[in-house]
Amino acid sequence: MEWQGWLTLAVVLLTLFGMVKEVAGPDLVLMAGLFTLAAFGGLTPRETFEGVATPALAAVGALFIVSAALRETGAIETTVGRLMDRTRSESGGLARICPPVAALSAFLNNAPIVAMMTPVVLDWARQRGMSASRFLMPMAHATVLGSLTTMIGTSVNLTVAALLIDAGMPEMGFFELLPVGLPVAILGLLYLVFVAPRLLPNRQELSEQIGEHRREYTATMRVEPGCHLIGQTVEDAGLRQLTGLYLVEIDR
């Protein structure tokens, strides 16, 4: 293997190490690895910027803009929330959650849909005394199934479509994946609604666990600008082993 191969291997390993240790944000770490390869001759200038100049990346960015608009207006939460309010059973809830979410993910990026629907599902399950864990995982898989039906369903589909054009092959049609993706999505949704509930665990939420242990409670703390914890990892900040406390999550 020539020196370019060893350089690429070293940069990839350092990039993974930087992301695991949270040296900086993932975008900064990845960009640093890219420009390191370019600076030392591992990539040509065209290869360096070719990846960020593809139509697929522009399409992914446009989908995120549309998803952000739907999130800010609350359109998805309101529509699907009303469908969920009409049922009080677990199977009925899955039947009303999974198909609409799968249909939306065929035309929008699936990750923002999951992020938008998670609070709605949590509130709905909490009001009916059900375990939210039995709905969140099927919902996430439903978005993946729906994204199999169109070219813009996932960023992977868009990337493959762009690679086909670069290779001189016929352009992928918008619904070219539908004949295969739609039967797979339908079978997958049927499995999520009728079979998955028998296999999923029935976990309690943190609030229910606290209700059973009255001496336990949660506290929310905000990191203000100028705090010495900014820029540090959880371990470096001393938050990994707290006496009598346990760090549940960090909202960035």
Side-chain angles (χ1 to χ4, degrees), residues 62-105:
L63 291 177
F64 272 103
I65 294 175
V66 175
S67 301
L70 293 175
R71 182 180 67 250
E72 294 297 329
T73 58
I76 295 181
E77 296 94 326
T78 302
T79 304
V80 182
R82 290 179 178 177
L83 291 175
M84 295 170 59
D85 287 338
R86 300 177 183 177
T87 181
R88 295 184 177 275
S89 64
E90 182 176 297
S91 59
L94 287 174
R96 292 177 182 271
I97 294 173
C98 294
V101 167
L104 287 171
S105 65

Short mmCIF file of all heavy atoms in Angstrom, two decimals, residues 62-105:
data_model
loop_
_atom_site.label_atom_id
_atom_site.label_comp_id
_atom_site.label_asym_id
_atom_site.label_seq_id
_atom_site.Cartn_x
_atom_site.Cartn_y
_atom_site.Cartn_z
N ALA A 62 -32.59 20.60 0.99
CA ALA A 62 -33.95 21.12 0.77
C ALA A 62 -34.98 20.35 1.60
O ALA A 62 -35.93 20.94 2.13
CB ALA A 62 -34.29 21.03 -0.72
N LEU A 63 -34.80 19.05 1.72
CA LEU A 63 -35.73 18.25 2.53
C LEU A 63 -35.67 18.66 3.99
O LEU A 63 -36.69 18.69 4.69
CB LEU A 63 -35.42 16.77 2.37
CG LEU A 63 -35.71 16.14 1.01
CD1 LEU A 63 -35.29 14.68 0.98
CD2 LEU A 63 -37.20 16.27 0.69
N PHE A 64 -34.48 18.98 4.48
CA PHE A 64 -34.36 19.42 5.87
C PHE A 64 -35.07 20.76 6.07
O PHE A 64 -35.64 21.02 7.13
CB PHE A 64 -32.89 19.53 6.27
CG PHE A 64 -32.32 18.25 6.80
CD1 PHE A 64 -31.50 17.45 6.02
CD2 PHE A 64 -32.62 17.83 8.09
CE1 PHE A 64 -30.99 16.27 6.52
CE2 PHE A 64 -32.11 16.65 8.60
CZ PHE A 64 -31.29 15.86 7.80
N ILE A 65 -35.02 21.63 5.06
CA ILE A 65 -35.72 22.91 5.17
C ILE A 65 -37.22 22.69 5.25
O ILE A 65 -37.92 23.30 6.08
CB ILE A 65 -35.35 23.81 3.98
CG1 ILE A 65 -33.87 24.18 4.03
CG2 ILE A 65 -36.20 25.07 3.96
CD1 ILE A 65 -33.39 24.95 2.83
N VAL A 66 -37.74 21.81 4.39
CA VAL A 66 -39.18 21.52 4.42
C VAL A 66 -39.57 20.89 5.75
O VAL A 66 -40.60 21.23 6.35
CB VAL A 66 -39.55 20.59 3.24
CG1 VAL A 66 -41.01 20.18 3.33
CG2 VAL A 66 -39.28 21.29 1.92
N SER A 67 -38.75 19.96 6.24
CA SER A 67 -39.05 19.32 7.52
C SER A 67 -39.03 20.33 8.66
O SER A 67 -39.86 20.26 9.58
CB SER A 67 -38.03 18.20 7.79
OG SER A 67 -38.05 17.23 6.77
N ALA A 68 -38.09 21.28 8.62
CA ALA A 68 -38.04 22.31 9.66
C ALA A 68 -39.28 23.18 9.63
O ALA A 68 -39.82 23.57 10.68
CB ALA A 68 -36.78 23.16 9.49
N ALA A 69 -39.77 23.49 8.42
CA ALA A 69 -40.99 24.29 8.31
C ALA A 69 -42.19 23.55 8.90
O ALA A 69 -43.02 24.13 9.62
CB ALA A 69 -41.24 24.64 6.85
N LEU A 70 -42.30 22.26 8.61
CA LEU A 70 -43.39 21.47 9.18
C LEU A 70 -43.29 21.36 10.69
O LEU A 70 -44.29 21.35 11.41
CB LEU A 70 -43.41 20.07 8.55
CG LEU A 70 -43.76 20.01 7.06
CD1 LEU A 70 -43.60 18.59 6.55
CD2 LEU A 70 -45.18 20.50 6.82
N ARG A 71 -42.05 21.28 11.19
CA ARG A 71 -41.87 21.21 12.64
C ARG A 71 -42.27 22.51 13.31
O ARG A 71 -42.92 22.50 14.35
CB ARG A 71 -40.41 20.88 12.96
CG ARG A 71 -40.15 20.73 14.46
CD ARG A 71 -38.69 20.40 14.75
NE ARG A 71 -37.80 21.51 14.41
CZ ARG A 71 -36.95 21.50 13.39
NH1 ARG A 71 -36.88 20.44 12.61
NH2 ARG A 71 -36.17 22.52 13.14
N GLU A 72 -41.88 23.63 12.73
CA GLU A 72 -42.18 24.92 13.34
C GLU A 72 -43.68 25.22 13.31
O GLU A 72 -44.22 25.82 14.25
CB GLU A 72 -41.42 26.04 12.62
CG GLU A 72 -39.91 25.95 12.79
CD GLU A 72 -39.48 26.10 14.23
OE1 GLU A 72 -40.16 26.81 14.99
OE2 GLU A 72 -38.46 25.49 14.61
N THR A 73 -44.36 24.83 12.24
CA THR A 73 -45.80 25.09 12.15
C THR A 73 -46.63 24.07 12.93
O THR A 73 -47.80 24.33 13.23
CB THR A 73 -46.25 25.06 10.68
OG1 THR A 73 -45.92 23.78 10.10
CG2 THR A 73 -45.56 26.16 9.89
N GLY A 74 -46.03 22.92 13.27
CA GLY A 74 -46.77 21.90 14.01
C GLY A 74 -47.77 21.15 13.18
O GLY A 74 -48.71 20.55 13.72
N ALA A 75 -47.61 21.16 11.84
CA ALA A 75 -48.59 20.53 10.96
C ALA A 75 -48.65 19.02 11.17
O ALA A 75 -49.72 18.42 11.26
CB ALA A 75 -48.27 20.85 9.50
N ILE A 76 -47.48 18.37 11.23
CA ILE A 76 -47.46 16.91 11.37
C ILE A 76 -47.99 16.49 12.74
O ILE A 76 -48.80 15.56 12.86
CB ILE A 76 -46.04 16.38 11.14
CG1 ILE A 76 -45.61 16.63 9.70
CG2 ILE A 76 -45.96 14.89 11.45
CD1 ILE A 76 -44.23 16.13 9.38
N GLU A 77 -47.53 17.18 13.80
CA GLU A 77 -47.98 16.82 15.14
C GLU A 77 -49.49 16.94 15.28
O GLU A 77 -50.15 16.09 15.87
CB GLU A 77 -47.28 17.68 16.19
CG GLU A 77 -45.77 17.49 16.27
CD GLU A 77 -45.03 18.49 15.41
OE1 GLU A 77 -45.57 18.87 14.34
OE2 GLU A 77 -43.93 18.90 15.79
N THR A 78 -50.06 18.01 14.71
CA THR A 78 -51.50 18.22 14.82
C THR A 78 -52.27 17.17 14.06
O THR A 78 -53.25 16.60 14.56
CB THR A 78 -51.86 19.62 14.29
OG1 THR A 78 -51.13 20.60 15.03
CG2 THR A 78 -53.35 19.87 14.45
N THR A 79 -51.84 16.85 12.82
CA THR A 79 -52.58 15.90 11.99
C THR A 79 -52.53 14.50 12.56
O THR A 79 -53.56 13.85 12.77
CB THR A 79 -52.00 15.91 10.56
OG1 THR A 79 -52.05 17.23 10.05
CG2 THR A 79 -52.80 14.98 9.67
N VAL A 80 -51.33 14.00 12.82
CA VAL A 80 -51.19 12.64 13.35
C VAL A 80 -51.72 12.57 14.78
O VAL A 80 -52.27 11.55 15.20
CB VAL A 80 -49.73 12.19 13.27
CG1 VAL A 80 -49.58 10.76 13.77
CG2 VAL A 80 -49.21 12.30 11.85
N GLY A 81 -51.57 13.66 15.55
CA GLY A 81 -52.08 13.67 16.91
C GLY A 81 -53.58 13.48 16.97
O GLY A 81 -54.11 12.80 17.85
N ARG A 82 -54.30 14.08 16.03
CA ARG A 82 -55.74 13.90 15.99
C ARG A 82 -56.13 12.47 15.64
O ARG A 82 -57.12 11.94 16.15
CB ARG A 82 -56.35 14.87 14.98
CG ARG A 82 -56.30 16.34 15.42
CD ARG A 82 -56.90 17.25 14.38
NE ARG A 82 -56.87 18.63 14.82
CZ ARG A 82 -57.29 19.67 14.08
NH1 ARG A 82 -57.77 19.44 12.85
NH2 ARG A 82 -57.23 20.91 14.56
N LEU A 83 -55.36 11.83 14.76
CA LEU A 83 -55.64 10.43 14.45
C LEU A 83 -55.44 9.54 15.66
O LEU A 83 -56.21 8.61 15.90
CB LEU A 83 -54.73 9.97 13.30
CG LEU A 83 -55.00 10.57 11.91
CD1 LEU A 83 -53.94 10.11 10.93
CD2 LEU A 83 -56.39 10.20 11.42
N MET A 84 -54.41 9.84 16.44
CA MET A 84 -54.12 9.02 17.61
C MET A 84 -55.15 9.22 18.72
O MET A 84 -55.40 8.31 19.51
CB MET A 84 -52.72 9.35 18.13
CG MET A 84 -51.61 8.98 17.16
SD MET A 84 -50.01 9.62 17.65
CE MET A 84 -49.83 8.87 19.26
N ASP A 85 -55.74 10.39 18.81
CA ASP A 85 -56.70 10.66 19.88
C ASP A 85 -57.97 9.83 19.75
O ASP A 85 -58.73 9.72 20.70
CB ASP A 85 -57.07 12.15 19.89
CG ASP A 85 -55.92 13.01 20.43
OD1 ASP A 85 -55.07 12.45 21.15
OD2 ASP A 85 -55.89 14.21 20.12
N ARG A 86 -58.19 9.26 18.58
CA ARG A 86 -59.43 8.52 18.36
C ARG A 86 -59.35 7.06 18.80
O ARG A 86 -60.31 6.33 18.65
CB ARG A 86 -59.80 8.57 16.87
CG ARG A 86 -60.02 10.00 16.36
CD ARG A 86 -60.31 9.99 14.87
NE ARG A 86 -60.46 11.34 14.35
CZ ARG A 86 -60.66 11.64 13.07
NH1 ARG A 86 -60.75 10.65 12.18
NH2 ARG A 86 -60.77 12.89 12.68
N THR A 87 -58.25 6.63 19.31
CA THR A 87 -58.10 5.25 19.75
C THR A 87 -57.48 5.21 21.13
O THR A 87 -56.73 6.11 21.52
CB THR A 87 -57.23 4.44 18.77
OG1 THR A 87 -57.14 3.09 19.22
CG2 THR A 87 -55.84 5.04 18.67
N ARG A 88 -57.80 4.15 21.87
CA ARG A 88 -57.25 3.99 23.21
C ARG A 88 -56.59 2.63 23.39
O ARG A 88 -56.16 2.30 24.49
CB ARG A 88 -58.37 4.16 24.25
CG ARG A 88 -58.95 5.57 24.27
CD ARG A 88 -59.98 5.74 25.36
NE ARG A 88 -60.48 7.10 25.40
CZ ARG A 88 -59.89 8.11 26.05
NH1 ARG A 88 -58.79 7.87 26.72
NH2 ARG A 88 -60.41 9.32 26.03
N SER A 89 -56.50 1.84 22.34
CA SER A 89 -55.87 0.53 22.43
C SER A 89 -54.47 0.59 21.83
O SER A 89 -54.16 1.46 21.01
CB SER A 89 -56.70 -0.52 21.71
OG SER A 89 -56.77 -0.24 20.32
N GLU A 90 -53.65 -0.36 22.22
CA GLU A 90 -52.27 -0.39 21.74
C GLU A 90 -52.20 -0.71 20.26
O GLU A 90 -51.50 -0.03 19.49
CB GLU A 90 -51.48 -1.42 22.54
CG GLU A 90 -50.02 -1.49 22.15
CD GLU A 90 -49.24 -2.44 23.03
OE1 GLU A 90 -49.16 -2.19 24.25
OE2 GLU A 90 -48.72 -3.43 22.50
N SER A 91 -52.94 -1.73 19.82
CA SER A 91 -52.92 -2.09 18.41
C SER A 91 -53.52 -0.99 17.55
O SER A 91 -53.02 -0.70 16.45
CB SER A 91 -53.69 -3.40 18.20
OG SER A 91 -55.03 -3.26 18.64
N GLY A 92 -54.58 -0.36 18.05
CA GLY A 92 -55.16 0.75 17.31
C GLY A 92 -54.22 1.93 17.21
O GLY A 92 -54.17 2.61 16.18
N GLY A 93 -53.46 2.19 18.28
CA GLY A 93 -52.49 3.28 18.24
C GLY A 93 -51.40 3.02 17.22
O GLY A 93 -51.03 3.92 16.46
N LEU A 94 -50.88 1.79 17.17
CA LEU A 94 -49.86 1.47 16.17
C LEU A 94 -50.41 1.57 14.76
O LEU A 94 -49.72 2.02 13.84
CB LEU A 94 -49.33 0.06 16.43
CG LEU A 94 -48.42 -0.11 17.65
CD1 LEU A 94 -48.09 -1.58 17.87
CD2 LEU A 94 -47.14 0.69 17.50
N ALA A 95 -51.67 1.14 14.58
CA ALA A 95 -52.27 1.20 13.26
C ALA A 95 -52.48 2.63 12.79
O ALA A 95 -52.51 2.90 11.58
CB ALA A 95 -53.61 0.46 13.27
N ARG A 96 -52.63 3.57 13.72
CA ARG A 96 -52.84 4.97 13.36
C ARG A 96 -51.53 5.75 13.32
O ARG A 96 -51.50 6.84 12.75
CB ARG A 96 -53.80 5.62 14.34
CG ARG A 96 -55.22 5.10 14.24
CD ARG A 96 -56.13 5.73 15.28
NE ARG A 96 -57.47 5.19 15.21
CZ ARG A 96 -58.44 5.68 14.43
NH1 ARG A 96 -58.18 6.72 13.65
NH2 ARG A 96 -59.64 5.14 14.41
N ILE A 97 -50.47 5.22 13.91
CA ILE A 97 -49.19 5.92 13.91
C ILE A 97 -48.34 5.52 12.71
O ILE A 97 -47.85 6.37 11.95
CB ILE A 97 -48.40 5.63 15.21
CG1 ILE A 97 -49.13 6.24 16.41
CG2 ILE A 97 -46.99 6.21 15.12
CD1 ILE A 97 -48.51 5.84 17.74
N CYS A 98 -48.17 4.22 12.51
CA CYS A 98 -47.18 3.73 11.54
C CYS A 98 -47.50 4.07 10.08
O CYS A 98 -46.62 4.58 9.37
CB CYS A 98 -47.01 2.22 11.71
SG CYS A 98 -46.27 1.75 13.30
N PRO A 99 -48.72 3.83 9.57
CA PRO A 99 -48.96 4.15 8.15
C PRO A 99 -48.79 5.62 7.79
O PRO A 99 -48.13 5.94 6.80
CB PRO A 99 -50.40 3.66 7.92
CG PRO A 99 -50.60 2.60 8.95
CD PRO A 99 -49.84 3.07 10.15
N PRO A 100 -49.35 6.58 8.57
CA PRO A 100 -49.11 7.99 8.20
C PRO A 100 -47.65 8.39 8.26
O PRO A 100 -47.17 9.14 7.40
CB PRO A 100 -49.95 8.76 9.24
CG PRO A 100 -50.95 7.80 9.75
CD PRO A 100 -50.28 6.47 9.71
N VAL A 101 -46.94 7.90 9.26
CA VAL A 101 -45.53 8.23 9.38
C VAL A 101 -44.73 7.64 8.21
O VAL A 101 -43.83 8.29 7.66
CB VAL A 101 -44.99 7.72 10.73
CG1 VAL A 101 -43.47 7.76 10.75
CG2 VAL A 101 -45.53 8.56 11.87
N ALA A 102 -45.08 6.43 7.80
CA ALA A 102 -44.40 5.82 6.65
C ALA A 102 -44.68 6.60 5.37
O ALA A 102 -43.78 6.80 4.55
CB ALA A 102 -44.85 4.37 6.50
N ALA A 103 -45.92 7.05 5.20
CA ALA A 103 -46.26 7.83 4.01
C ALA A 103 -45.50 9.16 3.98
O ALA A 103 -45.03 9.59 2.92
CB ALA A 103 -47.76 8.08 3.97
N LEU A 104 -45.37 9.80 5.12
CA LEU A 104 -44.64 11.07 5.17
C LEU A 104 -43.15 10.87 4.87
O LEU A 104 -42.53 11.69 4.20
CB LEU A 104 -44.81 11.71 6.55
CG LEU A 104 -46.19 12.31 6.86
CD1 LEU A 104 -46.27 12.69 8.33
CD2 LEU A 104 -46.46 13.52 5.98
N SER A 105 -42.58 9.79 5.36
CA SER A 105 -41.15 9.56 5.18
C SER A 105 -40.79 9.26 3.73
O SER A 105 -39.62 9.31 3.36
CB SER A 105 -40.67 8.42 6.08
OG SER A 105 -41.27 7.19 5.68
#
